[in-house]
Amino acid sequence: MTSPVDLEPERSSAIGPRTQSVRCEPPDANGIAGIVLDRPDDSVNAVNLDVIDGLADAIRWIRSARPRGVIITSAKDGQWVAGADLKLITQATNRTQIELASRRLQSVLDELAWLPCTTVAAISGAALGGGLELALACDYRVASDTPSVVLGQPEVNLGLVPAGGGTQRLPRLIGLERALDLILTGRRLDARRARRAGLLDEVVHPAILEQAARAWAAQPRRSLDRPLRIGLSMASAIDFAEQVPAGRRLMYDRARQSVLERTHGHYPAPLRALEAIERGFEHGTADGFAAEARAFGELATTETARNLIWLFMATQAARRRGGATVSALGVVGAGFMGAAIAELGAAAGLPVRIKDVSTQAAARGLASATRLVHNGVSRRRFSQREGQAITRRMSASTDYSGFARADAVIEAVFEDLTLKQSVVRDLERVVSADALIATNTSAIPVHQIAQGSVHPERVVGMHFFSPAERMPLLEVVRPDAAGDEAVATAVALGARLGKTAIVVRDSPGFYTSRILGVMLNEAALLLGEGARLEDVDRALTNFGFPVGPFVLFDEVGLEVAQHAGETVTTAFGDRIPAATVVTDLVSRGETGRKAGRGFYVWPAPSRRPRWLQGVLKAGRRMANPFVYGTTPRRDLPESEIQDRLVLLFVNEAVRCLDEGVIESPTDGDLGAVLGLGFPPFRGGPFHYADSRGAAALATALRDLEKRHGQRYAPAHSVVQRRTFFEDQP
């Protein structure tokens, strides 16, 4: 490692108010001193300039006190250091200021790494980003065996790179191959997986964390060099490859190819992180530190990073919305959606009662929810013990026994208005007078479902997205009769279930189904004009969507898409011409991927063993000849396809804001990104509208209106040249 002197830059100027966040504890009888992190101005120990300067002061004090060992702890219960304070970036005025902050953090952590005494990180919560880099600068790392302990370098998910030496220290601790995986994907590890990866030296019960840390602090300092394992194992082969330039070159090339396949070149941060890692390995850590700080400063001022940071902060703020606390949950309907909602509730610590019409259906639903729990255990989302506790919190029945204890009930039966109305009436007879009654629907107006109810003020929509156990968005649908308390309770329940909730007005298609519906409908119209399926899908994935519209049609299922599309075209048919191809495919029984045919003809599921599937390529999907008919295919410029689909999507989102369907541009962007896969690096439709420029957007829509009809007529706010975010980068 480079000496502290080599990395000491000029101290950067402060950004915002400064408070004392680090204190020292003098050596005890065994010569073990302490550094305690405790930001008094925040609920978390996020790294800011005050923390950096506090650490620098503490390190100087340690040098003068000359203890045998030092333990770094957090005074905040269940926490350690969960990354950098993003205000350090958002309030900075230029990239030089941000780069200097990175250099300052690198310098202080290098001083910590070069202390003559043994240093131990006693990790009691998340150690992410700068928090992990602080731990990496210590000789040893001990963590408590609790769910709150996660370790990782997630900076690339914010459009950034590690800024405190993570690109240099992590590969030297756990090896190049593992470090590339963690840094370039932003993946996080729980305590046990981090121990197996070599990030932690010991994982202990929380009650003995301090005792274990003291035992490590009494050990001699650790060598920074990783031992080379010699043998026939895969690990030893990878270790050996790291020792030779040709082996490392292969790793860099493979990592670069993987990043480009995953990001399509839209996210520059992983490639810049790879560059810093490579510079450090091939030219020395001083060059690596410099490349890291330079990349951090340059990336932090890009539109991509600004948008990703904004999305992260907006998501965190949305999850802090308040409401009545729910203590027990009921779920009516034990299909895939009902089972997923039940699993989410039980995983959030709620007792959950599932109800369906027959013993077989109820048992299948409970079994599906249990499988989701087992999948969570296998993916390390839960520990084995937690999985068992979650399973015990779920029960099922064929009647409403047990529902009297539920203070919130979510019905997830079939999309049938009469059936849903009947369920709401039944629930009002069995649940408490103040219990929330929520309907999970993607398109049926909630006020129609609430017709005939005695207390419509407590009936709201909770639109979960499939698969509910993974999709992060929740649309809380507010009919005119719904009370504020019911809406707030639904939002708070969504947050407890791990969802980011947006509140939308009860209107045709709500928000997400409406804006997605007009774009999918336009894709089908393009098909009728001679566009090829593959060209349209490729244009949207090149724009940044995870999949194209026709793949999405087939994945969702054309029956579901038909129902949502009919809702949109019925409500807005005066300006949205309906495409008939979806109805035609459904009538033929070609309903999407599960049926083997939809817009595409899909290859049959592979019967090969799982280990062979990665070696032998499965058959590729092909365009369904029926959807082309006799219309000749023609080439359309990718930019034209993108404008026709994306600008229609954006314009419809703005219409929803103008009509009060959504409460704010922030909710509009969160809904589109988290629910529909609008490219996160673009910030959402409202950030994208600002980036296009108000005048340019209006002009583009007017031109499309002249060529393709009134569905492209600019929304009122577009005509008024509205800017949706004043601080748009």
Side-chain angles (χ1 to χ4, degrees), residues 347-370:
L350 299 172
V352 180
R353 186 74 156 179
I354 310 169
K355 188 261 181 193
D356 213 310
V357 293
S358 69
T359 302
Q360 293 83 357
R364 282 196 302 270
L366 188 59
S368 293
T370 302

Side-chain angles (χ1 to χ4, degrees), residues 316-323 488 491-492 495 501-503 663-664 666-667 670:
Q316 296 299 107
R319 291 189 177 185
R320 289 194 291 266
R321 294 178 182 175
V491 170
I502 62 171
V503 178
E663 296 180 342
S664 67
T666 293
D667 281 358
L670 288 175

Side-chain angles (χ1 to χ4, degrees), residues 479-532:
D480 291 340
D484 292 342
E485 184 177 349
V487 173
T489 300
V491 170
L493 174 59
R496 183 162 182 181
L497 300 182
K499 305 301 180 187
T500 300
I502 62 171
V503 178
V504 302
R505 201 183 74 196
D506 187 20
S507 62
F510 312 138
Y511 172 63
T512 54
S513 295
R514 173 174 165 180
I515 62 175
L516 180 63
V518 298
M519 186 174 79
L520 293 180
N521 187 74
E522 190 67 17
L525 293 175
L526 274 168
L527 183 66
E529 295 174 17
R532 297 180 184 85

Side-chain angles (χ1 to χ4, degrees), residues 326-332 338 341-346 348 350-354 393 395 402-403 405-411 436 438 462 464 493 497:
V326 171
S327 57
L329 178 65
V331 178
V332 182
I341 294 171
E343 186 263 354
L344 288 169
L350 299 172
V352 180
R353 186 74 156 179
I354 310 169
R393 285 194 282 267
S395 60
F403 275 68
R405 295 192 296 273
D407 38 21
V409 179
I410 301 172
E411 70 81 8
L436 170 73
M462 290 182 72
F464 290 84
L493 174 59
L497 300 182

Side-chain angles (χ1 to χ4, degrees), residues 494-696:
R496 183 162 182 181
L497 300 182
K499 305 301 180 187
T500 300
I502 62 171
V503 178
V504 302
R505 201 183 74 196
D506 187 20
S507 62
F510 312 138
Y511 172 63
T512 54
S513 295
R514 173 174 165 180
I515 62 175
L516 180 63
V518 298
M519 186 174 79
L520 293 180
N521 187 74
E522 190 67 17
L525 293 175
L526 274 168
L527 183 66
E529 295 174 17
R532 297 180 184 85
L533 297 176
E534 298 90 340
D535 292 346
V536 175
D537 279 344
R538 188 183 306 110
L540 263 287
T541 55
N542 286 346
F543 182 80
F545 279 88
V547 296
F550 296 113
V551 171
L552 182 61
F553 265 124
D554 281 359
E555 294 283 3
V556 169
L558 297 188
E559 291 168 312
V560 174
Q562 180 185 24
H563 176 65
E566 287 174 349
T567 300
V568 172
T569 54
T570 299
F572 309 108
D574 57 330
R575 62 181 178 85
I576 305 293
T580 60
V581 63
V582 173
T583 302
D584 294 341
L585 284 167
V586 171
S587 68
R588 291 167 57 90
E590 298 178 356
T591 55
R593 185 166 189 173
K594 286 186 178 180
R597 297 175 74 92
F599 281 98
Y600 289 100
V601 178
W602 293 87
S606 175
R607 297 178 180 273
R608 300 177 182 126
R610 185 179 296 274
W611 67 271
L612 261 180
Q613 292 179 25
V615 178
L616 301 176
K617 292 184 178 180
R620 297 184 61 182
R621 62 176 183 263
M622 300 173 59
N624 185 345
F626 171 78
V627 303
Y628 285 161
T630 59
T631 304
R633 297 299 105 187
R634 61 193 182 98
D635 295 325
L636 291 175
E638 183 173 275
S639 59
E640 180 180 340
I641 296 172
Q642 290 174 344
D643 273 1
R644 285 190 60 177
L645 298 182
V646 174
L647 294 189
L648 196 66
F649 182 104
V650 170
N651 197 45
E652 199 68 24
V654 177
R655 286 183 185 276
C656 288
L657 179 65
D658 290 343
E659 297 169 13
V661 176
I662 52 176
E663 296 180 342
S664 67
T666 293
D667 281 358
D669 279 350
L670 288 175
V673 172
L674 301 181
L676 304 177
F678 192 92
F681 72 94
R682 298 188 187 275
F686 292 94
H687 272 90
Y688 181 68
D690 282 352
S691 72
R692 288 283 296 238

Side-chain angles (χ1 to χ4, degrees), residues 47-314:
V47 176
N48 63 359
L49 291 177
D50 178 57
V51 171
I52 296 172
D53 289 339
L55 281 170
D57 292 341
I59 291 166
R60 282 192 289 272
W61 178 85
I62 293 293
R63 285 189 181 278
S64 63
R66 297 185 178 181
R68 178 185 181 187
V70 178
I71 302 173
I72 303 179
T73 61
S74 168
K76 298 183 187 299
D77 203 23
Q79 292 192 33
W80 207 62
V81 182
D85 187 337
L86 294 175
K87 293 177 183 176
L88 190 75
I89 297 169
T90 59
Q91 294 179 4
T93 57
N94 57 68
R95 76 183 193 187
T96 301
Q97 190 178 24
I98 298 171
E99 182 178 341
L100 283 173
S102 172
R103 298 283 286 175
R104 174 66 176 159
L105 178 59
Q106 290 175 344
S107 173
V108 170
L109 294 184
D110 215 47
E111 289 182 20
L112 175 64
W114 282 90
L115 280 175
C117 57
T118 302
T119 53
V120 180
I123 302 171
S124 53
L128 299 170
L132 179 58
E133 288 170 312
L134 173 59
L136 291 173
C138 295
D139 295 308
Y140 303 104
R141 286 151 295 281
V142 187
S144 56
D145 189 8
T146 59
S148 64
V149 173
V150 288
L151 296 90
Q153 301 270 204
E155 289 89 347
V156 294
N157 295 327
L158 297 177
L160 304 169
V161 298
T167 61
Q168 308 306 303
R169 288 196 175 89
L170 187 60
R172 286 166 175 78
L173 177 69
I174 66 173
L176 182 59
E177 186 87 355
R178 286 197 187 102
L180 285 171
D181 174 56
L182 291 179
I183 293 173
L184 302 187
T185 66
R187 197 160 60 90
R188 306 178 183 197
L189 302 177
D190 62 24
R192 291 183 179 272
R193 283 190 295 167
R195 171 69 183 87
R196 288 195 293 271
L199 267 173
L200 296 174
D201 295 287
E202 189 176 11
V203 177
V204 299
H205 190 279
I208 62 169
L209 177 62
E210 182 179 352
Q211 177 183 340
R214 289 184 176 278
W216 285 101
Q219 298 294 316
R221 292 196 64 206
R222 164 178 282 155
S223 168
L224 296 178
D225 295 325
R226 293 178 68 243
L228 176 61
R229 287 175 287 192
I230 303 298
L232 297 178
S233 68
M234 180 64 71
S236 62
I238 292 173
D239 274 356
F240 178 76
E242 287 182 22
Q243 309 303 312
V244 295
R248 294 195 299 271
R249 171 57 55 195
L250 182 62
M251 291 181 183
Y252 301 143
D253 290 345
R254 191 168 55 204
R256 187 173 291 105
Q257 180 182 355
S258 176
V259 166
L260 291 174
E261 288 175 355
R262 188 175 68 251
T263 68
H264 302 287
H266 292 307
Y267 297 84
L271 294 178
R272 296 298 301 274
L274 177 59
E275 175 190 319
I277 294 169
E278 185 175 352
R279 291 292 301 179
F281 264 85
E282 308 308 323
H283 301 281
T285 54
D287 271 11
F289 278 123
E292 177 185 273
R294 185 168 55 253
F296 185 72
E298 292 172 358
L299 289 168
T301 56
T302 62
E303 186 173 341
T304 294
R306 297 280 178 164
N307 284 337
L308 292 174
I309 291 170
W310 177 87
L311 280 169
F312 173 78
M313 297 177 74

